[in-house]
Amino acid sequence: DQQVKQNSPSLSVQEGRISILNCDYTNSMFDYFLWYKKYPAEGPTFLISISSIKDKNEDGRFTVFLNKSAKHLSLHIVPSQPGDSAVYFCAAPNFAGGTSYGKLTFGQGTILTVHP
Amino acid sequence: DAGITQSPRHKVTETGTPVTLRCHQTENHRYMYWYRQDPGHGLRLIHYSYGVKDTDKGEVSDGYSVSRSKTEDFLLTLESATSSQTSVYFCAISEPGLAGVSYEQYFGPGTRLTVT
């Protein structure tokens, strides 16, 4: 049961334009979401997060939007740069077993390619 | 960068042999995790640890075991490697925050395992 879904395996954008990466979730109990970025041959790195008490969180060129009624979040990158080319994962805390212990459930990932 | 190392970084092994992957951290974080990354599946949790000698199963634990005899080391063992366990394995760490939990995880560089 994939509780966090990224339905677009890949996205290609031009440098300077906006990149929008989408993520859907099925569990209405999720109250916190994170985005991770992963370059080839490296581990994922934390990018930005959002709590369900907010509908937007911004950090420089990166903004995450949360639509709780639609169970949907999106990551906007403006302006996109070639160095943003990476795999992006959304994630939510995993409470399977009753206690999270910080566990996360990840989406399948979206490969972003930013062309110069 | 969080002090997380994984060894080996690459390994090729034969079906049926046992394999142990090591994760070592210098951050003194309480929680540790093992994930595998496969195309189309994102990152899936194998096992996790919430303290020394305290471990539990994740969503894809069959065929794997773990041990944590000290805070800094978390070992993942494939009892009898199979071709379906060919994957990239990531270790991650996190530390409960002041609010009781922190969902931000820090990842190691990964181990690429090929089972022939």
Side-chain angles (χ1 to χ4, degrees):
Chain A
D1 178 25
Q2 188 77 30
Q3 296 192 65
V4 180
K5 297 181 181 180
Q6 295 174 257
N7 293 315
S8 298
S10 63
L11 175 68
S12 181
V13 300
Q14 207 66 31
E15 182 178 6
R17 305 296 293 270
I18 185 171
S19 294
I20 299 176
L21 298 105
N22 295 304
C23 180
D24 298 298
Y25 60 96
T26 57
N27 190 338
S28 58
M29 299 297 290
F30 285 161
D31 61 359
Y32 195 85
F33 301 89
L34 307 90
W35 283 93
Y36 279 80
K37 174 178 172 179
K38 184 186 177 306
Y39 291 120
E42 294 184 11
T45 55
F46 170 75
L47 186 58
I48 192 170
S49 62
I50 188 167
S51 165
S52 62
I53 62 173
K54 296 183 175 181
D55 54 17
K56 175 183 173 181
N57 188 28
E58 191 172 354
D59 183 1
R61 296 185 297 113
F62 302 90
T63 303
V64 57
F65 295 92
L66 176 61
N67 183 333
K68 292 185 286 293
S69 61
K71 297 193 184 68
H72 176 83
L73 61 154
S74 60
L75 175 68
H76 292 214
I77 307 174
V78 184
S80 301
Q81 300 173 353
D84 296 328
S85 297
V87 180
Y88 289 80
F89 295 99
C90 62
N94 178 344
F95 285 89
T99 305
S100 96
Y101 293 117
K103 301 192 303 291
L104 295 174
T105 293
F106 286 85
Q108 304 95 313
T110 297
I111 301 170
L112 173 64
T113 303
V114 181
H115 298 283
Chain B
D1 288 345
I4 311 169
T5 57
Q6 293 185 232
S7 58
R9 294 293 312 278
H10 301 272
K11 186 168 182 67
V12 180
T13 192
E14 292 185 350
T15 298
T17 60
V19 176
T20 295
L21 308 183
R22 180 183 185 236
C23 177
H24 178 78
Q25 60 144 329
T26 58
E27 306 296 321
N28 201 37
H29 280 17
R30 191 181 317 175
Y31 299 157
M32 298 186 74
Y33 315 86
W34 276 108
Y35 293 91
R36 59 179 288 174
Q37 185 197 3
D38 303 290
H41 291 279
L43 293 157
R44 292 182 292 174
L45 183 67
I46 305 171
H47 280 279
Y48 64 99
S49 169
Y50 47 96
V52 173
K53 299 192 189 305
D54 293 321
T55 65
D56 205 347
K57 297 177 180 180
E59 59 184 303
V60 289
S61 59
D62 287 349
Y64 302 94
S65 63
V66 290
S67 66
R68 191 170 178 200
S69 59
K70 43 188 178 177
T71 300
E72 56 266 35
D73 290 325
F74 193 30
L75 304 180
L76 176 71
T77 297
L78 288 66
E79 309 287 350
S80 176
T82 67
S83 58
S84 64
Q85 293 175 312
T86 292
S87 186
V88 181
Y89 291 85
F90 289 99
C91 172
I93 63 174
S94 74
E95 179 66 24
L98 292 175
V101 65
S102 170
Y103 296 118
E104 210 173 303
Q105 293 184 10
Y106 302 94
F107 284 80
T111 294
R112 182 172 293 276
L113 176 69
T114 302
V115 183
T116 62

